[in-house]
Amino acid sequence: MTDAEYMQIALEEARAAASQGEIPVGAVLVHGDRILARAHNLRETMQDPTAHAEVLCLQEASKVLGTWRMEDCTLYVTLEPCPMCAGAILMSRLTRCVYGAYDPDNGCCGSVYDLPSDPRFHAPTRWTPEIHQAECAKLLKDFFEKRRTN
C-alpha cells in the first residue's frame, strides 16, 4: 500500500474519533505491509491526557512486536504530532512518521517547534508531512465549527 492509502485508514480512525465526540485525529502503525495498530484520540473517553492516537498506536504495536523499539515501522497520523507525541515517537526509535495536516497551535514537527531536527536528539525518525493534508485539515475544521455552533 502507498502512504496515501495508509493515510486513508488513519482518516477512518479520525472519523471514528469525531463520531465519539473526540478531536478527530487518527493513526495507523505499519511494519512492512502489516498494520500492527490503529487508533484514534480517546482523551475524553478515557479521561487520560496521554490518550492521543499516536501514543495508543505505539502502545498497541509494542504489545504486538514484544518490544518498545519501533525500528522499521511507519506511523501515519492525520495531524502533526504535539510535543508529547513527537517525543514518544522519537524515543520509540520509530523509523518514519507521516502526517497530514500541520498543527499551528501545538505541532512539534515543523510548526511551533521542530523537535525531530533538534541536534540534541539523536533521533532516527524520518518525517513526511502533508499526505492528504487538505482532507485531514478539513475534518478538523468541520469538527470544531460544529462544536462551536452547538
Side-chain angles (χ1 to χ4, degrees):
M1 289 177 62
T2 66
D3 286 350
E5 290 169 320
Y6 284 120
M7 188 61 76
Q8 281 297 328
I9 297 169
L11 277 160
E12 289 173 18
E13 287 293 325
R15 289 185 197 96
S19 73
Q20 293 177 275
E22 298 278 355
I23 294 175
V25 177
V28 177
L29 200 144
V30 178
H31 180 262
D33 60 357
R34 178 179 166 213
I35 295 175
L36 299 178
R38 50 190 293 172
H40 54 269
N41 276 4
L42 289 173
R43 287 191 314 172
E44 298 299 329
T45 302
M46 297 176 74
Q47 288 300 295
D48 179 350
T50 68
H52 289 207
E54 300 96 310
V55 170
L56 297 172
C57 261
L58 288 169
Q59 290 171 343
E60 182 60 30
S62 69
K63 290 176 190 170
V64 172
L65 291 172
T67 182
W68 60 269
R69 292 171 182 86
M70 299 291 126
E71 294 156 341
D72 300 321
C73 293
T74 300
L75 179 69
Y76 296 86
V77 61
T78 58
L79 182 64
E80 177 184 4
C82 71
M84 175 183 66
C85 294
I89 289 166
L90 293 177
M91 295 298 108
S92 73
R93 298 184 183 164
L94 186 80
T95 299
R96 186 165 174 247
C97 180
V98 177
Y99 63 90
Y102 285 101
D103 183 350
D105 297 322
N106 298 299
C108 276
C109 300
S111 292
V112 175
Y113 184 64
D114 195 354
L115 187 66
S117 69
D118 190 317
R120 293 169 288 195
F121 297 99
H122 304 286
T125 307
R126 293 186 327 272
W127 299 82
T128 305
E130 298 183 324
I131 302 297
H132 283 300
Q133 187 275 335
E135 190 174 356
C136 292
K138 183 176 179 352
L139 184 61
L140 286 156
K141 181 179 180 233
D142 291 350
F143 175 82
F144 285 113
E145 281 179 1
K146 183 178 178 183
R147 193 177 196 180
R148 279 190 289 276
T149 59
N150 290 339

